[in-house]
């Protein structure tokens, strides 16, 4: 059995979408990051960076359990485990997928996350930070749009790179972007969204999603952006 340590966020959805696409049975272990469950010692043993998603596969490569953190690594592992599903075995094509996955991991996720933070959550409205991350979001959307003008999906066929990127673009309004400005991206977005497995992946823990759009306050703020997040990490016993 595969245990997915999950919360309903873009990085979590990447893996729930892939598991749904693969049709693998899995159990969802909720890690309520607003309540600080990501700091529990038993979770830190699996995910030392105190972030979701993480995954434990009881049936690892050598038949022994394997624990993984970082969504990109988890996606590559699951694709390979399933006989190179959504990530081709051919080396040239595989690195086509890997480069777009790394672009998501190193660019799209972190930069759009900062756009959310400064546009939506920051207690002070800092013009420089808002402009910087809104402009960077627009630049990244333009890179994606240019790529999708020449290719149906990011790396040729539908792959883990598309599954990793799509959940981050759902919050395009928070990032100050209008999809109508990016016609090729908009076409791809509608195609990916229409996939039944994508919809199932996005429905995981649906009942826990905070749809109010409210800013985290109090304990939630401390856990995500405040004192608890930046306190000296507890030593793993
Ligand atoms: N690079 C990591 C980022 C994971 C990440 O930022 N997870 C967020 C939710 S989207 C989280 O767990 N935040 C809780 C915290 O920072 O304490 C990945 O792709 O897995």
């Amino acid at each position: 059995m595969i245990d997915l340590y999950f919360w309903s966020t873009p990085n979590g959805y990447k893996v729930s979408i892939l598991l749904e696409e693969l049709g693998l049975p899995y159990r969802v272990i909720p890690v309520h990051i607003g309540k600080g469950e990501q700091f529990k010692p038993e979770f830190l043993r699996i995910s030392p960076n105190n972030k979701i998603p993480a995954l434990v596969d009881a049936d690892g490569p050598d038949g022994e359990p394997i624990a993984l953190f970082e969504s990109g690594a988890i996606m590559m592992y699951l694709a390979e485990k399933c006989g190179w599903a959504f990530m081709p075995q051919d080396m040239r094509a595989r690195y086509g997928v890997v480069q777009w996955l790394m672009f998501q991991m190193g660019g799209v996720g972190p930069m759009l996350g900062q756009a959310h933070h400064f546009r939506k959550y920051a207690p002070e409205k800092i013009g420089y930070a808002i402009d910087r991350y809104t402009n960077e979001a627009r630049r990244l959307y333009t890179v994606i749009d240019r790529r999708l003008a020449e290719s149906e999906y990011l790396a040729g066929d539908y792959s883990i790179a598309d599954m990793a990127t799509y959940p981050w673009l759902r919050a395009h309004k928070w990032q100050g972007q209008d999809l109508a400005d990016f016609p090729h991206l908009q076409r791809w977005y509608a195609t990916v969204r229409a996939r039944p497995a994508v919809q199932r992946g996005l429905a995981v823990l649906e009942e826990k999603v905070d749809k109010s759009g409210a800013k985290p306050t109090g304990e939630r703020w401390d856990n995500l952006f405040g004192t608890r997040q930046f306190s000296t990490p507890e030593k793993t016993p």
Side-chain angles (χ1 to χ4, degrees), residues 9-12 14 33 38-39 49-53 69-72 104-105 168 223-224 229:
T9 72
N11 287 316
K14 294 185 218 172
I33 58 176
Q38 69 274 38
F39 304 114
N49 193 30
N50 64 260
K51 308 223 182 270
I52 65 93
F69 70 105
E70 283 294 331
S71 56
Q104 187 288 311
M105 293 293 295
W168 275 100
N223 285 324
L224 294 172
Q229 179 66 231

Side-chain angles (χ1 to χ4, degrees), residues 64-115:
E64 295 296 315
I66 183 170
L68 292 165
F69 70 105
E70 283 294 331
S71 56
I74 295 169
M75 296 181 96
M76 290 171 73
Y77 170 77
L78 290 172
E80 185 169 348
K81 176 183 171 81
C82 292
W84 303 102
F86 303 110
M87 182 163 105
Q89 187 167 12
D90 170 76
M91 194 171 175
R92 179 181 295 275
R94 184 162 79 249
Y95 275 88
V97 172
V98 170
Q99 70 183 351
W100 284 103
L101 180 65
M102 295 300 145
F103 166 77
Q104 187 288 311
M105 293 293 295
V108 170
M111 293 299 119
L112 300 188
Q114 295 303 318

